[in-house]
Amino acid sequence: MALTRADWLVREAAHHERADALTADHRARSQRGEKHPVWDFLFTYYGYKPAQVRRWHPGAGVELENAPERSAWRWYSPGSSADSVVPDAEAFAAEKSDLAGLVERMLRRTASRPGQFGCFGLHEWAMVYRADELRHAVPLRLGQAGTDAVVENHDLRCTHFDAFRFFTPEAAPRNRSPLTREDQPLFEQPGCLHAGMDLYKWATKLGPLIPGELLLDAFELARDIRLLDMEAAPYDLAPWGVIPVPIETAEGKAEYVRRQRGFADRGAALRIALLQAWLGSSVSVA
């Protein structure tokens, strides 16, 4: 597939407009030196700047005609005509074989598994269980004793290592399974909120192999999931307009699972789309 310069410039401009709208509030807060306990995560934990979100790529194998300015861009190779370029999945795999293997394993294995929906977002509670100091300078909605009681009255079922690694030493042994970085591809499952947010990370790591439109879809999913993650967290975020999803109640659990299932469905579609954009439309996860 090839795009004329006129066509790809239109797509690039549309991407810039959409990306700028998605990051506008964060950029404005950064200029004012303001922190936000919910939204900063998307830029600090993942470490990708708004400029990276703004950069548009066509996706692996899509040739850009008359694009000499991209000839030196990483993982772009010469196309079929003078001054044309194409994002090169083989060049990426050759240079980043370990990363390519990890991303493919994570996407394929997660896509092949059924979702689990019994964690109720307790990973955030486990991160402050019996803690002397809180990870965020925000008070606990139920206080320390009330928060600890919620953890003690529930079964911790976290499957995501990058959440589990922040559990307090007292909380970690309460998890159903001990998790390690090496075993992450074995436990990751599509019901996990963080597995859904991480689609944005994988899309960004694949760089020009992922169409910009798909990258922003992944960013929007991460944004939407992040809100539920904090609504269900033990923190009192009322000053920032966050209404709690009280997972310590039956009603809160039901709402959490309902929205969790919706995110799992969105994530499943994105997971397949990322694999197909990168490795070809015939990719299967079976």
Side-chain angles (χ1 to χ4, degrees):
M1 177 182 177
L3 297 175
T4 67
R5 184 173 180 86
D7 286 341
W8 68 259
L9 284 176
V10 168
R11 285 181 58 180
E12 182 183 53
H15 177 88
H16 288 169
E17 182 178 357
R18 182 181 171 197
D20 288 346
L22 288 170
T23 64
D25 289 345
H26 175 76
R27 289 184 285 112
R29 285 192 300 270
S30 295
Q31 289 181 344
R32 297 192 298 267
E34 294 178 7
K35 302 294 184 181
H36 198 290
V38 177
W39 303 123
D40 286 353
F41 176 91
L42 296 173
F43 302 94
T44 56
Y45 176 80
Y46 287 114
Y48 304 128
K49 305 299 184 185
Q52 291 171 274
V53 179
R54 193 176 195 269
R55 177 166 283 196
W56 176 82
H57 300 288
V62 178
E63 186 171 338
L64 300 182
E65 296 179 352
N66 191 17
E69 64 269 43
R70 296 192 179 212
S71 61
W73 285 23
R74 198 175 190 186
W75 303 319
Y76 274 76
S77 294
S80 61
S81 60
D83 289 336
S84 70
V85 295
V86 58
D88 190 339
E90 291 184 1
F92 172 83
E95 184 178 337
K96 293 284 188 179
S97 59
D98 290 346
L99 176 60
L102 172 64
V103 176
E104 185 172 359
R105 284 195 303 278
M106 293 299 294
L107 293 176
R108 284 185 183 275
R109 293 185 182 185
T110 305
S112 70
R113 297 187 179 112
Q116 299 175 30
F117 302 99
C119 70
F120 306 124
L122 283 162
H123 56 278
E124 289 287 341
W125 298 68
M127 293 178 192
V128 296
Y129 177 64
R130 295 189 178 180
D132 294 328
E133 295 183 5
L134 300 184
R135 295 181 63 243
H136 303 290
V138 178
L140 297 174
R141 181 167 56 83
L142 302 181
Q144 188 65 60
T147 301
D148 292 347
V150 170
V151 174
E152 291 164 0
N153 291 328
H154 287 79
D155 184 18
L156 298 183
R157 305 180 184 184
C158 184
T159 58
H160 187 75
F161 175 74
D162 282 314
F164 175 77
R165 67 189 176 97
F166 291 109
F167 281 23
T168 64
E170 292 80 5
R174 291 177 169 273
N175 204 51
R176 275 196 174 187
S177 301
L179 303 176
T180 66
R181 175 68 71 197
E182 292 73 22
D183 291 337
Q184 187 172 2
L186 301 178
F187 287 93
E188 201 87 317
Q189 50 85 20
C192 171
L193 293 192
H194 282 264
M197 283 194 283
D198 278 356
L199 291 172
Y200 165 59
K201 174 178 70 175
W202 303 131
T204 306
K205 286 186 178 297
L206 292 171
L209 310 183
I210 299 302
E213 296 85 353
L214 191 52
L215 170 66
L216 295 187
D217 288 345
F219 181 88
E220 288 183 340
L221 177 61
R223 175 202 62 190
D224 295 347
I225 290 175
R226 174 62 179 173
L227 180 58
L228 176 60
D229 201 29
M230 289 295 96
E231 288 173 332
Y235 300 106
D236 180 1
L237 295 168
W240 291 271
V242 177
I243 300 173
V245 174
I247 55 87
E248 70 275 14
T249 69
E251 295 78 11
K253 286 182 174 66
E255 180 180 351
Y256 184 90
V257 172
R258 176 184 62 79
R259 290 168 63 184
Q260 184 183 25
R261 288 183 180 277
F263 290 139
D265 289 343
R266 286 173 62 185
L270 275 175
R271 208 167 272 113
I272 298 300
L274 290 172
L275 283 166
Q276 291 181 340
W278 170 25
L279 300 174
S281 60
S282 61
V283 163
S284 170
V285 297

